[in-house]
């Protein structure tokens, strides 16, 4: 067990995390998506939200027992809108050059690596992120070799 733990620690990259500029607590009142009325009953009705507009529609009239509808009360605080729980906003890295854009914004944005990036490119982006003191989400993804998992 100790050998595996030691081996795992040597393979992973250890990061010093930058602290976010925004210190307010981030509260997400609702994280579940609102489902479209009757999307569970008919295959032809997609789950993506559409406002019910029928004159007799139960959900539009907000009867008891119907699914919740979007309301202004579900909205986030303007100060913390689009922020992660750690206080950073997300910035998608699609290209290795994109990490350079976060040079002056490392306390407000954190890097999220695109799923299209190869392991070699990810490694380069993560190393550059360390130099620029930028937080990189899931920095160890696709970086462990097959020998480490075996």
């Amino acid at each position: 067990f100790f050998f595996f733990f030691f081996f795992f620690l040597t393979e992973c990259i250890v990061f010093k995390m930058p602290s976010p500029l925004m210190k307010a607590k981030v509260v997400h009142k609702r994280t579940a998506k609102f489902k479209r009325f009757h999307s569970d009953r008919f295959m032809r009705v997609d789950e993506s939200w559409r406002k019910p507009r029928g004159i007799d529609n139960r959900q539009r009239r907000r009867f008891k027992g119907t699914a919740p509808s979007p309301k202004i009360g579900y909205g986030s605080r303007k100060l913390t809108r689009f922020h992660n729980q750690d206080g950073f906003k997300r910035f998608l890295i699609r290209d290795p050059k994109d990490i350079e854009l976060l040079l002056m914004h490392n306390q407000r944005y954190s890097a999220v690596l695109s799923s299209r990036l190869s392991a070699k490119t990810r490694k380069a982006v993560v190393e550059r992120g360390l130099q620029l003191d930028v937080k990189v989400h899931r920095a160890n993804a696709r970086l462990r070799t097959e020998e480490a998992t075996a």
Side-chain angles (χ1 to χ4, degrees), residues 3-30:
F3 174 75
F4 174 75
F5 185 72
F6 178 74
F7 191 72
F8 183 73
L9 283 179
T10 55
E11 283 296 310
C12 294
I13 301 168
V14 181
F15 301 98
K16 181 183 92 56
M17 294 293 172
S19 59
L21 202 61
M22 199 257 324
K23 300 290 185 193
K25 187 179 179 195
V26 178
V27 176
H28 298 295
K29 296 179 191 170
R30 181 185 167 94

Side-chain angles (χ1 to χ4, degrees), residues 5-130:
F5 185 72
F6 178 74
F7 191 72
F8 183 73
L9 283 179
T10 55
E11 283 296 310
C12 294
I13 301 168
V14 181
F15 301 98
K16 181 183 92 56
M17 294 293 172
S19 59
L21 202 61
M22 199 257 324
K23 300 290 185 193
K25 187 179 179 195
V26 178
V27 176
H28 298 295
K29 296 179 191 170
R30 181 185 167 94
T31 54
K33 295 264 188 195
F34 291 100
K35 288 188 177 179
R36 187 177 177 178
F37 181 66
H38 276 337
S39 65
D40 56 335
R41 290 188 62 187
F42 303 106
M43 290 292 288
R44 64 180 180 261
V45 180
D46 192 33
E47 276 193 358
S48 59
W49 174 254
R50 298 288 185 276
K51 183 175 172 56
R53 291 194 167 84
I55 55 170
D56 294 329
N57 191 288
R58 295 193 318 264
Q59 187 163 7
R60 182 190 62 80
R61 293 161 73 185
R62 297 197 179 133
F63 281 8
K64 212 185 319 184
T66 55
S69 299
K71 296 182 219 165
I72 197 66
Y74 287 115
S76 298
R77 191 175 160 196
K78 198 177 238 184
L79 179 70
T80 63
R81 197 170 297 155
F82 308 116
H83 284 77
N84 286 342
Q85 288 297 125
D86 56 9
F88 290 99
K89 287 186 178 180
R90 295 175 296 280
F91 183 80
L92 186 64
I93 304 293
R94 297 188 187 97
D95 192 75
K97 291 179 280 188
D98 288 350
I99 194 82
E100 304 295 333
L101 298 171
L102 298 180
L103 173 65
M104 301 298 288
H105 307 284
N106 62 346
Q107 288 188 311
R108 198 169 298 279
Y109 290 93
S110 62
V112 178
L113 302 177
S114 172
S115 61
R116 297 182 202 166
L117 294 178
S118 66
K120 188 170 103 178
T121 309
R122 278 170 184 265
K123 192 170 188 174
V125 168
V126 168
E127 286 172 3
R128 187 64 182 142
L130 272 173

